[in-house]
């Protein structure tokens, strides 16, 4: 039973990130090789910003952020245990901070390369993401470096075995909101101009739209959403360690899920994410059995890297459009034309 | 090792890596995100020879170069060429090299643990500095890396400007479709580029443990500096790659070291922020890199504006 909750939780978290990547890569054509950065920013919003606000508000003294975050966690957990509403308030506040900071960093870091070709864009975004990852991993003053910081449990009133069920429900609820929001904007004029930009930037320019502004908007929205996933993940694991926001987990795997499901198709991305998450969870669960079965003389994580790398290559080679192909957009006038065409062809058949 | 010496060694190695990256980018037009892991592949070849047969890392250079060349050719023939034949877009090719990087990381990680099981010694981290020699007060790696770099430059100059193949190679760098019309086999130039790139990366990887500790994931960190060097110099220009490598190499070690005497040692963590800052500034001011900037024109306009303001006074 617990495995369903684990799958639901990871499906929710990864789906939010890969949907955000789908907006940027699948719709707008921005190869954001720095997706992990936005997720890390979400974690920093909770572990670095919200924690400091709480420490300041409650006047907690500590030698450093690592120490103080541990003390404030005990204090806040006590309050939430008696007053669930404060937990809800903290949850909503974290998500809002993460969204705002994520949007700002997304817009800021695409600025230097927003005018450039896609390979420069990909390289720069990857470089920025790697450098920020490295700094947060080594500098203990941001989110505790490799020691990490503690985070209050927003579900402290519901502690125990069942916590994961409630948390995965929250994550799925946020996922539903994100999905509806993305379906709305990708089926709007804005979503259509993003697709047009992906196909041909010059046409978009000829119609008087600024490609740079469009890219910045898409990156801001995408990063805000991915950052929310980072905040949710940190709130779930009640601590933040920079090393869990590496490029493989939060840039490469989301790309794999998007391409597996079908870039430019939100439903397809959900299917791709579910497939990936189920495979990954079973791999992680049975890694010791797998190691003994195959007589592997090394850790299963290396096998996981090789497997998913090869899977990505096979997808690129044999099915670059993914499981579900991108569908044409049915706007109101188009739907009317199609309906009319269908009815006329039916009447002809009669 | 003094700071300037260390910076020079690092820049030499970075130059080998960025020349490799640039030459594959020019011929195949895909930035190789696995270039860092190519280098670590070379590091592990020399480390294996060192542990199993006690070969000194300097003597394993030819073997590392051979292994790297084979890896480079295999990557082009079996991974990129099938995609190019299917007319994959540039982004798809980039994602393929990203996938390759992950496979290589998994392979190197798995290999390091197999090696540990065989040799029964720690293999997750290694460094060669204790086995280096010293000459006239300088470290051996300083001479060796400079020697390799000089030989490489000589080789490239002779190849590009004194041979027929070099002319064909330069032609297909300038304009691949025109070169193909003129009878140049673009396929050969690509195979050559990937061979050279793999070999150079492996040589750099073989020498890198003399300067820093190596773990299977080192390639992922290295790639930022390699890209910074290539882009700052101009990613479609070979001489730019060399200029960029020395600029980035010196800024990462030499400038950070001097800054640390002002701001304290905590700034050393931020060495790669400096190369990133240089990268961003270059992208904003001269997106095609330093090698594309017409310095003479800027100098002239600067002079004329100076003399212009002088005459009005």
């Amino acid at each position: 039973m617990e495995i369903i909750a684990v799958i639901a939780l990871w499906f929710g978290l990864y789906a939010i990130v890969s949907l955000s990547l789908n907006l940027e890569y699948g719709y707008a054509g921005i190869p954001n090789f720095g997706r992990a950065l936005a997720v890390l920013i979400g974690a920093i919003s909770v572990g670095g910003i919200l924690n400091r606000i709480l420490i300041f508000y409650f006047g907690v003294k500590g030698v450093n952020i690592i120490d103080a975050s541990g003390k404030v966690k005990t204090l806040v957990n006590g309050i939430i245990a008696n007053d669930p509403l404060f937990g809800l308030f903290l949850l909503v506040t974290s998500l809002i901070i993460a969204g705002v900071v994520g949007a700002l960093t997304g817009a800021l870091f695409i600025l230097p390369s927003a005018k450039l070709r896609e390979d420069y864009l990909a390289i720069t975004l990857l470089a920025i993401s790697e450098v920020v990852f490295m700094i947060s991993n080594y500098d203990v003053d941001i989110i505790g470096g490799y020691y990490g910081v503690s985070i209050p449990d927003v579900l402290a009133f519901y502690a125990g075995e069942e916590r994961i069920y409630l948390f995965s429900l929250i994550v799925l609820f946020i996922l539903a909101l994100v999905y509806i929001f993305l379906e709305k904007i990708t089926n709007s004029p804005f979503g259509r101009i993003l697709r047009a930009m992906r196909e041909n930037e010059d046409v978009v320019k000829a119609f008087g739209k600024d490609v740079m502004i469009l890219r910045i908007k898409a990156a801001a929205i995408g990063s805000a959403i991915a950052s929310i996933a980072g905040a949710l993940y940190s709130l779930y694991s009640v601590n933040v360690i920079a090393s869990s926001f590496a490029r493989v987990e939060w840039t490469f795997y989301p790309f794999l899920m998007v391409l597996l499901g079908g870039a430019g198709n939100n439903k397809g991305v959900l299917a791709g994410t579910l497939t990936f998450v189920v495979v990954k969870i079973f791999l992680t669960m049975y890694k010791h059995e797998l190691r003994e079965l195959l007589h592997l003389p090394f850790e299963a994580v290396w096998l996981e890297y090789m497997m998913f790398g090869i899977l990505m290559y096979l997808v690129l080679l044999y099915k670059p459009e993914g499981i579900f192909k991108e569908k044409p957009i049915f706007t109101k006038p188009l739907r009317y034309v199609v309906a009319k065409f269908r009815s006329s062809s039916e009447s002809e058949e009669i | 090792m003094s700071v300037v010496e260390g910076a020079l060694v690092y820049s030499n190695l970075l130059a080998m890596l960025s020349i490799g990256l640039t030459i594959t980018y020019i011929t195949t037009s895909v930035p190789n995100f696995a270039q860092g892991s190519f280098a670590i592949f070379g590091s592990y070849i020399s480390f294996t020879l060192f542990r199993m047969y006690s070969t000194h890392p300097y003597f394993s250079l030819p073997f590392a170069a051979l292994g790297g060349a084979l890896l480079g050719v295999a990557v082009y023939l079996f991974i990129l060429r099938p995609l190019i034949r299917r007319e994959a877009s540039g982004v798809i090719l980039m994602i393929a090299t990203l996938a390759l990087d992950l496979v290589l990381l998994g392979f190197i990680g798995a290999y390091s643990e197999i090696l540990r099981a065989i040799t029964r010694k720690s293999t997750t981290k290694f460094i060669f500095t204790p086995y280096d020699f010293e000459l006239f007060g300088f470290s051996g790696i300083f001479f060796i890396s400079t020697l390799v770099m000089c030989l490489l430059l000589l080789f490239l100059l002779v190849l590009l400007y004194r041979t027929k193949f070099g002319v064909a190679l330069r032609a297909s760098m300038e304009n691949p479709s025109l070169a193909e019309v003129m009878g140049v086999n673009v396929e050969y130039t690509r195979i050559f580029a990937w061979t050279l790139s793999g070999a150079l990366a492996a040589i750099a990887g073989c020498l890198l443990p003399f300067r820093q500790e190596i773990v299977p994931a080192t390639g992922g960190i290295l790639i930022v500096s390699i890209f910074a060097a290539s882009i700052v110099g101009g990613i479609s220009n070979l001489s730019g790659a060399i200029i960029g490598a020395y600029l980035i190499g010196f800024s990462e070690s030499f400038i950070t070291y001097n800054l640390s005497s002002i701001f304290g040692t905590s700034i050393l963590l931020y060495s790669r922020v400096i190369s990133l800052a240089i990268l961003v500034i270059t992208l904003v001011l001269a997106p095609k890199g330093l090698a594309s900037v017409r310095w003479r024109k800027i100098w002239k306009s600067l002079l004329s504006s100076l003399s212009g303001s002088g005459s009005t006074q």
Side-chain angles (χ1 to χ4, degrees):
Chain A
M1 194 53 208
E2 203 190 328
I3 184 147
I4 296 177
V6 175
I7 290 178
L9 177 82
W10 280 100
F11 168 69
L13 290 174
Y14 267 139
I16 297 174
V17 177
S18 37
L19 281 176
S20 80
L21 184 68
N22 191 33
L23 175 77
E24 287 181 45
Y25 172 67
Y27 286 91
I30 303 168
N32 194 342
F33 282 16
R35 180 72 310 165
L37 173 70
V39 184
L40 175 63
I41 291 293
I44 293 177
S45 313
V46 180
I49 300 176
L50 182 78
N51 251 345
R52 281 192 170 78
I53 297 174
L54 289 175
I55 289 167
F56 176 74
Y57 181 76
F58 290 108
V60 177
K61 298 269 185 300
V63 234
N64 51 22
I65 178 86
I66 305 165
D67 180 39
S69 71
K71 286 180 185 163
V72 89
K73 175 182 179 170
T74 327
L75 188 75
V76 174
N77 278 1
I79 300 174
I80 296 175
N82 297 320
D83 183 9
L85 270 183
F86 188 65
L88 185 69
F89 168 75
L90 271 191
L91 174 71
V92 175
T93 320
S94 328
L95 297 186
I96 292 174
I97 298 178
V100 172
V101 180
L104 284 178
T105 43
L108 183 72
F109 284 140
I110 205 169
L111 271 184
S113 41
K115 276 185 182 168
L116 299 173
R117 277 215 336 260
E118 54 195 11
D119 37 6
Y120 280 79
L121 195 65
I123 293 170
T124 320
L125 290 172
L126 180 120
I128 293 173
S129 165
E130 284 293 295
V131 168
V132 175
F133 171 73
M134 218 150 38
I135 293 173
S136 5
N137 200 16
Y138 287 126
D139 196 332
V140 284
D141 291 327
I142 304 171
I143 46 169
Y146 26 72
Y147 304 107
V149 288
S150 309
I151 284 174
D153 183 1
V154 288
L155 297 182
F157 58 91
Y158 200 72
E161 296 277 301
E162 274 87 48
R163 181 178 178 272
I164 186 170
Y165 297 105
L166 186 56
F167 208 96
S168 41
L169 281 181
I170 294 173
V171 172
L172 288 180
F173 174 70
I174 309 271
L175 168 65
L177 291 183
V178 166
Y179 182 79
I180 294 167
F181 171 72
L182 283 176
E183 275 289 293
K184 278 260 183 273
I185 63 164
T186 48
N187 284 315
S188 69
F190 176 68
R192 291 195 287 275
I193 195 94
L194 287 186
R195 287 200 205 194
M197 176 172 78
R198 178 194 66 194
E199 295 302 326
N200 193 332
E201 283 179 13
D202 294 329
V203 171
V204 176
K205 275 185 210 156
F207 277 98
K209 290 279 179 187
D210 192 337
V211 170
M212 193 169 155
I213 302 269
L214 282 173
R215 273 189 181 170
I216 292 172
K217 274 186 188 163
I221 298 172
S223 300
I225 293 172
S227 175
I228 286 174
L232 277 172
Y233 176 43
S234 317
L235 290 174
Y236 166 71
S237 50
V238 292
N239 60 17
V240 170
I241 298 175
S243 59
S244 44
F245 296 92
R247 185 172 81 197
V248 178
E249 269 84 13
W250 298 101
T251 298
F252 187 80
Y253 288 165
F255 259 100
L256 179 57
M257 291 177 250
V258 167
L259 287 163
L260 186 68
N265 184 333
N266 287 333
K267 266 196 206 85
V269 169
L270 287 186
T273 309
L274 190 62
T275 321
F276 172 84
V277 168
V278 170
V279 172
K280 184 163 157 50
I281 299 261
F282 276 101
L283 261 185
T284 326
M285 260 186 72
Y286 294 110
K287 64 180 174 196
H288 296 295
E289 287 82 350
L290 193 75
R291 211 181 144 174
E292 276 174 24
L293 188 75
L294 298 176
H295 299 291
L296 292 182
F298 51 81
E299 292 286 328
V301 62
W302 304 120
L303 184 74
E304 181 193 313
Y305 287 172
M306 286 190 266
M307 263 182 50
F308 284 130
I310 292 169
L311 176 67
M312 173 71 111
Y313 180 68
L314 294 178
V315 171
L316 293 177
L317 193 63
Y318 295 112
K319 216 149 176 47
E321 74 280 351
I323 307 171
F324 294 97
K325 267 192 183 173
E326 186 178 1
K327 289 196 184 88
I329 324 159
F330 282 102
T331 52
K332 246 185 194 167
L334 195 64
R335 221 176 278 151
Y336 173 74
V337 172
V338 170
K340 209 161 183 199
F341 178 74
R342 278 209 185 124
S343 61
S344 69
S345 62
E346 272 166 23
S347 60
E348 269 170 31
E349 277 169 27
I350 296 162
Chain B
M1 207 188 285
S2 78
V3 185
V4 179
E5 193 188 345
L8 253 175
V9 170
Y10 184 57
S11 307
N12 282 334
L13 301 184
L14 210 53
M16 295 172 207
L17 288 164
S18 60
I19 288 176
L21 185 89
T22 304
I23 200 163
T24 49
Y25 180 80
I26 296 172
T27 49
T28 330
S29 60
V30 49
N32 181 11
F33 283 87
Q35 192 83 356
S37 295
F38 273 31
I40 305 307
F41 179 78
S43 311
Y44 270 90
I45 291 181
S46 67
F47 183 58
T48 309
L49 292 174
F50 177 68
R51 270 286 150 82
M52 307 275 274
Y53 309 103
S54 337
T55 317
H56 192 276
Y58 288 141
F59 294 113
S60 59
L61 270 176
F63 301 103
L66 186 70
L70 288 177
L71 175 71
V73 155
V75 164
Y76 173 65
L77 289 182
F78 303 118
I79 294 179
L80 292 174
R81 198 165 66 169
L83 283 173
I84 295 172
R85 290 241 167 105
R86 282 167 191 256
E87 292 178 353
S89 67
V91 179
I92 296 287
L93 290 176
M94 278 198 283
I95 298 175
T97 65
L98 212 56
L100 169 71
D101 189 43
L102 191 63
V103 175
L104 272 179
L105 174 65
F107 176 74
I108 292 171
Y111 176 73
S112 78
E113 283 176 17
I114 296 174
L115 195 65
R116 184 173 57 196
I118 298 172
T119 60
R120 304 194 181 282
K121 279 177 190 165
S122 165
T123 52
T124 34
K125 277 182 187 175
F126 63 93
I127 192 159
F128 287 156
T129 348
Y131 315 111
D132 204 5
F133 63 90
E134 203 168 287
L135 201 67
F136 312 121
F138 290 102
S139 60
I141 183 68
F142 172 70
F143 292 106
I144 299 286
S145 66
T146 313
L147 180 73
V148 171
M149 196 55 213
C150 291
L151 288 176
L152 170 68
L153 283 182
L154 195 71
F155 169 72
L156 279 179
L157 280 177
V158 170
L159 179 90
L160 287 177
Y161 294 95
R162 288 283 177 276
T163 64
K164 227 173 178 181
F165 182 74
V167 176
L169 194 65
R170 277 191 293 145
S172 57
M173 285 175 187
E174 290 274 324
N175 190 336
S177 42
L178 188 61
E180 207 162 10
V181 171
M182 297 300 286
V184 173
N185 192 332
V186 177
E187 200 66 7
Y188 287 159
T189 62
R190 284 181 176 167
I191 290 175
F192 168 77
W194 281 91
T195 316
L196 183 69
S197 172
L200 284 180
I203 290 173
C206 184
L207 300 175
L208 193 64
F210 284 103
R211 198 186 168 271
Q212 66 176 73
E213 211 172 49
I214 302 290
V215 294
T218 305
I221 305 165
L222 208 57
I223 195 74
V224 177
S225 311
I226 305 174
F227 272 134
S230 297
I231 290 191
V232 164
I235 197 167
S236 39
N237 193 314
L238 271 184
S239 51
I242 301 168
I243 301 169
Y246 286 93
L247 189 73
I248 293 292
F250 264 81
S251 76
E252 265 182 29
S253 33
F254 188 63
I255 297 181
T256 348
Y257 180 78
N258 285 320
L259 283 179
S260 74
S261 59
I262 306 168
F263 297 105
T265 47
S266 61
I267 194 117
L268 290 175
L269 294 178
Y270 289 82
S271 68
R272 285 204 164 74
V273 178
I274 294 178
S275 47
L276 190 68
I278 297 178
L279 172 67
V280 167
I281 293 169
T282 319
L283 283 178
V284 173
L285 295 179
K288 284 190 175 163
L290 291 178
S292 73
V293 178
R294 290 182 190 164
W295 296 108
R296 207 171 285 166
K297 205 174 169 187
I298 294 180
W299 182 241
K300 263 185 192 163
S301 68
L302 209 69
L303 278 183
S304 67
S305 71
L306 275 179
S307 61
S309 63
S311 63
T312 48
Q313 274 176 1

